[in-house]
């Protein structure tokens, strides 16, 4: 470990915290293709809000670059680029392939490449490594080696930073598996688990999120059923959760870069080997359709209160895919906006965590900068940001006296008949 020099490729929610931890113990270079991202980090600013200026300063051996030459003398390369899906909900390996091409241009004999991006089983050795071989001219497991250690970052979770989350590790040979395990063990105080192979490590990561997706889909479907019966799902869950082995989950929109994406990777791989994954696929359909259900629930409530739906003014509190986090990747609030607009509703968005330019660039949506009281026909509490929780029942004051409030996150305590719960 004495001569280890690390390059972390991709400085987003996963790569940056990891680079900081390694930069406290090893010579580390953080690489990102975005020049402005490197400039911000050099200035001590992280727009994801995952790390502070003090965190950045704590990594004495960490530097940043967007120049390939700046990572050429590393001997351990860790890839933490996104793994999104395309418009057809198929895996988009473009960032991984481009990162692998980059590795091929800078890697040397004896080096180790470690992938952290979430993929289907086999992607590292079947899709990524051949690219590194082709570009570099080096031979896998002879001239260079590979590992896989799936990321488990939970954006916005300050109680569980990367060092406090147990890490699964793996390697392309027994010796490399041990090297990768010891490397991560040096920074992960929660410990590591050495998987028996790279494919096992890949599969372990993807089922973590797939299992959660399936469980949430069940709760979402129950919410649809209980809605037809006039029963509050939240009340049902509260009652059921008094049993010790009940898994307490809440219905809602399922977006983000993990749960809303990763199962599609497993569906893709499963179908490629001849198995149709009915439960996983159907769970995705249910969760992807929740925005339509939520919009319908709100519109029905508005009609019941004798609101004219077309032209109505609705405020949505929260745009990010989860609370207390600026991450708007694959946020299903965007789908909710489209569904409400299809009814002729005028939708306004408010979120103090979101970068206005990023939201417009990514989705073409604008934010309202200030909240006004008494002007909305309906208010939707879509994300449980701390700012909205602290407002409590004052959220109701944002609407007109007869306004409907759809409380998706259990923020409100009032028993007003105008409040609709999930």
């Amino acid at each position: 470990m004495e001569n280890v020099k690390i390059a972390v490729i991709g400085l987003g929610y996963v790569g940056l915290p990891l680079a900081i931890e390694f930069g406290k113990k090893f010579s580390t270079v953080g690489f990102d293709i975005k020049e402005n991202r490197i400039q911000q980090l050099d200035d001590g600013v992280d727009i994801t809000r995952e790390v502070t200026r003090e965190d950045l300063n704590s990594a004495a051996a960490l530097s940043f670059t967007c120049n390939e030459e700046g990572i050429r003398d590393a001997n351990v390369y860790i890839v933490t680029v996104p793994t999104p899906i395309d418009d057809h909900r198929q895996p988009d390996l473009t960032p991984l392939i481009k990162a692998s091409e980059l590795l091929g241009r800078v890697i040397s004999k004896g080096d180790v490449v470690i992938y952290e991006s979430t993929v289907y089983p086999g992607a590292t050795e079947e899709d990524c490594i051949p690219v590194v071989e082709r570009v570099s001219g080096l031979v896998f497991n002879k001239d260079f080696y590979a590992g896989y250690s799936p990321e488990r970052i939970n954006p916005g979770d300050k109680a569980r930073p990367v060092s406090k989350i147990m890490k699964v590790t793996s390697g392309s040979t027994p010796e490399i598996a041990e090297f990768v395990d010891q490397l991560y063990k040096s920074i992960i105080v929660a410990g590591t688990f050495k998987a028996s192979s790279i494919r096992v490590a890949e599969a372990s990561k993807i089922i973590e999120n797939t299992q959660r997706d399936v469980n949430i889909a069940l709760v979402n479907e129950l919410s649809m059923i209980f809605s037809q019966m006039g029963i509050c799902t939240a009340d049902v869950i509260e009652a059921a959760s008094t049993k010790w082995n009940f898994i307490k989950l809440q219905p809602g929109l399922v977006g983000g870069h993990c749960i809303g994406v990763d199962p599609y990777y497993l569906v893709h791989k499963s179908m490629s080997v001849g198995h149709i994954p009915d439960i996983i696929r159907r769970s995705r359909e249910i969760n992807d359709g929740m925005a339509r259900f939520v919009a319908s629930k709100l519109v029905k409530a508005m009609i019941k209160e004798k609101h004219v739906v077309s032209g109505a003014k609705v405020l949505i509190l929260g745009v990010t895919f989860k609370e207390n986090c600026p991450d708007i990747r694959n946020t299903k609030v965007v789908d909710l906006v489209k569904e409400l607009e299809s009814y002729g509703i005028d939708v306004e968005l408010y979120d103090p965590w979101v970068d206005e330019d990023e939201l417009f660039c990514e989705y073409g949506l604008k934010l309202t900068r200030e909240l006004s009281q008494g002007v909305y026909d309906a208010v939707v509490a879509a994300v449980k940001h701390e700012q909205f929780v602290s407002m409590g029942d004052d959220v109701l004051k944002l609407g007109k006296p007869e306004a409907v409030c759809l409380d998706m996150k259990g923020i409100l305590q009032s028993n007003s008949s105008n409040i609709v719960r999930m």
Side-chain angles (χ1 to χ4, degrees):
M1 295 288 175
E2 292 179 3
N3 298 318
V4 166
K5 183 167 186 179
I6 297 170
V8 177
I9 299 171
L11 297 175
Y13 287 86
V14 175
L16 180 59
L18 188 71
I20 288 174
E21 291 304 317
F22 276 124
K24 295 174 182 177
K25 296 201 171 187
F26 304 98
S27 175
T28 304
V29 180
F31 174 90
D32 201 283
I33 59 174
K34 297 178 181 177
E35 214 170 310
N36 63 330
R37 175 67 165 156
I38 299 301
Q39 184 60 58
Q40 289 166 352
L41 294 174
D42 281 338
D43 292 339
V45 177
D46 172 31
I47 60 170
T48 70
R49 305 194 204 182
E50 286 300 298
V51 302
T52 64
R53 186 182 300 272
E54 290 71 26
D55 293 328
L56 288 164
N57 291 337
S58 70
L62 175 62
S63 61
F64 302 108
T65 185
C66 57
N67 188 335
E68 288 184 17
E69 292 303 312
I71 60 173
R72 188 175 292 279
D73 60 346
N75 49 33
V76 175
Y77 294 91
I78 302 177
V79 179
T80 59
V81 298
T83 44
I85 52 174
D86 62 21
D87 293 339
H88 304 288
R89 293 182 169 83
Q90 294 296 307
D92 181 3
L93 296 181
T94 302
L96 266 183
I97 298 305
K98 288 187 177 298
S100 298
E101 290 172 343
L102 167 62
L103 289 174
R105 294 193 293 270
V106 299
I107 198 172
S108 301
K109 283 189 176 183
D111 290 353
V112 177
V113 299
I114 304 170
Y115 289 87
E116 287 213 1
S117 306
T118 303
V119 290
Y120 46 74
T124 299
E125 293 160 298
E126 297 167 11
D127 297 297
C128 299
I129 295 302
V131 174
V132 180
E133 286 187 301
R134 173 176 56 80
V135 176
S136 68
L138 300 178
V139 178
F140 179 47
N141 276 343
K142 177 184 176 185
D143 298 323
F144 74 98
Y145 305 89
Y148 181 79
S149 182
E151 62 88 4
R152 280 177 166 172
I153 291 290
N154 187 25
D157 188 347
K158 303 308 179 185
R160 297 183 187 87
V162 62
S163 63
K164 294 184 180 180
I165 303 172
M166 180 171 277
K167 204 84 160 69
V168 173
T169 66
S170 64
S172 56
T173 70
E175 295 77 18
I176 293 302
E178 180 63 18
F179 169 79
V180 172
D181 192 64
Q182 291 299 320
L183 181 67
Y184 279 100
K185 195 171 285 185
S186 70
I187 65 165
I188 305 295
V189 297
T192 60
F193 178 90
K194 186 165 61 174
S196 58
S197 70
I198 287 176
R199 289 167 67 90
V200 166
E202 291 169 326
S204 74
K205 167 59 180 180
I206 208 157
I207 70 165
E208 289 175 16
N209 292 328
T210 300
Q211 182 188 65
R212 186 164 171 80
D213 193 43
V214 171
N215 286 338
I216 295 173
L218 172 61
V219 175
N220 277 339
E221 189 162 50
L222 291 173
S223 179
M224 296 175 188
I225 295 169
F226 294 142
S227 180
Q228 291 294 103
M229 298 178 179
I231 299 173
C232 176
T233 306
D235 290 346
V236 175
I237 291 171
E238 258 332 289
S241 63
T242 57
K243 188 162 188 268
W244 69 90
N245 60 351
F246 181 80
I247 301 172
K248 188 176 181 180
L249 296 171
Q250 301 295 332
L253 305 176
V254 186
H257 64 107
C258 289
I259 299 177
V261 172
D262 296 350
Y264 285 117
Y265 275 70
L266 189 54
V267 168
H268 168 83
K269 187 64 176 182
S270 176
M271 295 186 73
S272 74
V273 297
H275 177 76
I276 299 174
D278 290 330
I279 293 176
I280 300 171
R281 187 178 60 173
R282 179 58 184 147
S283 295
R284 276 283 78 230
E285 291 172 357
I286 291 170
N287 288 338
D288 272 350
M290 275 301 286
R292 190 179 309 112
F293 168 71
V294 172
S296 173
K297 192 176 181 76
L298 178 64
V299 167
K300 287 178 181 178
M302 292 174 68
I303 292 172
K304 185 178 178 182
E305 295 298 325
K306 300 190 174 5
H307 288 278
V308 176
V309 173
S310 181
K313 198 169 185 179
V314 173
L315 173 69
I316 298 180
L317 296 174
V319 183
T320 62
F321 88 90
K322 65 178 296 187
E323 67 275 5
N324 304 329
C325 170
D327 196 345
I328 60 171
R329 290 175 295 173
N330 193 38
T331 173
K332 295 304 178 182
V333 175
V334 171
D335 293 357
L336 178 57
V337 172
K338 292 177 182 176
E339 291 292 335
L340 292 174
E341 288 180 340
S342 72
Y343 288 95
I345 291 173
D346 178 16
V347 180
E348 289 189 16
L349 297 168
Y350 178 80
D351 195 319
W353 285 83
V354 170
D355 180 271
E356 191 171 1
D357 293 335
E358 183 186 7
L359 182 69
F360 185 78
C361 181
E362 188 69 26
Y363 299 110
L365 296 174
K366 295 181 180 180
L367 290 175
T368 184
R369 297 188 178 184
E370 293 184 9
L371 292 174
S372 301
Q373 293 189 358
V375 298
Y376 300 101
D377 298 292
V379 178
V380 180
V383 185
K384 201 172 185 177
H385 289 320
E386 58 190 11
Q387 290 92 335
F388 304 149
V389 173
S390 66
M391 288 174 66
D393 288 346
D394 283 347
V395 167
L396 297 172
K397 296 178 181 178
L398 300 172
K400 298 173 182 177
E402 70 280 8
V404 172
C405 184
L406 176 55
D407 184 9
M408 296 178 61
K409 294 296 181 179
I411 291 173
L412 304 178
Q413 300 299 316
S414 172
N415 293 317
S416 168
S417 61
N418 287 4
I419 297 175
V420 180
R421 305 184 195 276
M422 292 295 292

